[in-house]
Amino acid sequence: MAFEKEVEAYRREGFVVLKDVIPRKRVDAVLSEIGDIFRPILRHHAIDGAEAKGQHFEAALVSLFSQYMPEYLAAAKAAQSSPAVHAMGASEPIIDIVRAFGISQPLIAVRPVTHILSETLKVPGGYHRTPPHQDWRSVQGSLDAIVVWLPLVSVDRGFGALEVIPGSHLGGLLPTRRDPFGNVIDEVDIDLNGFIPVEVEPGDAVVFSMFTVHRTGAEQRAGIRWAISLRYNNAAAPGFADHGYPNPFVYKSQDDLLFDEFPSPEAVREIFKAG
């Protein structure tokens, strides 16, 4: 079986790092498409660096954040709807990994999450780095559900690394307290000294159980740490099927228009003019 040793380590530790399992070209394409989602808004506000890459583009994002935070946050949320991100989650390499780790009949549990992390992109009054938590608490799916966490840049212990407590998955679902982030594990129920940083490169994948306690590391030098995470339930898991495939996420639209008198008939007709 592929990943035989890695699966054994995963069962014992609750997480494992798979090296070079995603083509670097594909990872770079995902990062590029996520970045491109911000560019129309940067152009709209004539922010320098709208067409740039690397550090100059990241500086443009900081300018957007500091001047037009709601629009920055809307673009960051829209990045979760990137076709490249969704295609990655349903790609053959990822589904092969998911199946190898016991998800015999994979279901995408929730929308992908894009992680855009920097000390210069802190939302006042919100959470910045994820506190200690277990993903199963919010997903409530199959007991063998897993997360695949993909770095889009090099991530080390000094750059907002994912931190996990090895073996914590074996403790099952832990008590939580309310927090702006959501349900956070009470510190009295875990060993805060047990966290270890997970250092990875683009093309690597971190696979961990939804019961594994994890958080974002506190240390981060200058720059933006980009990553995505994907979550999978197992439709073949008896407990999940017996409960009728529960899903605590509610996606619905609102009936009222978000912008009064938009769109006008003229604006719609303009779209369909012959080129």
Side-chain angles (χ1 to χ4, degrees), residues 174-196:
L174 298 175
T176 60
R177 57 178 171 79
R178 296 289 183 181
D179 184 89
F181 167 76
N183 286 308
V184 173
I185 295 172
D186 198 312
E187 285 80 357
V188 300
D189 292 308
I190 55 174
D191 177 10
L192 293 174
N193 294 318
F195 282 102
I196 64 169

Side-chain angles (χ1 to χ4, degrees), residues 42 57-67 72 118 120-121 224:
L42 292 170
F57 175 67
E58 292 188 355
L61 290 187
V62 173
S63 295
L64 176 64
F65 180 85
S66 61
Q67 298 177 65
Y72 166 86
S118 171
T120 55
L121 300 174
I224 298 178

Side-chain angles (χ1 to χ4, degrees), residues 35 42-43 47 52 54 75 89 118 130 159 222 229 232 252 261 268:
L42 292 170
R43 295 185 196 111
I47 293 175
S118 171
T130 58
F159 199 50
S229 56
Y232 301 88
K252 66 177 183 178
E261 300 182 9
V268 174

Side-chain angles (χ1 to χ4, degrees), residues 27 36 46 52 84 98 117 127-128 131 143 154-155 190 201 214 235 247:
V27 174
D36 286 347
V98 169
L117 187 66
Y127 75 89
H128 180 51
L143 299 185
S154 297
V155 178
I190 55 174
E201 297 292 330
H214 60 289
N247 185 346

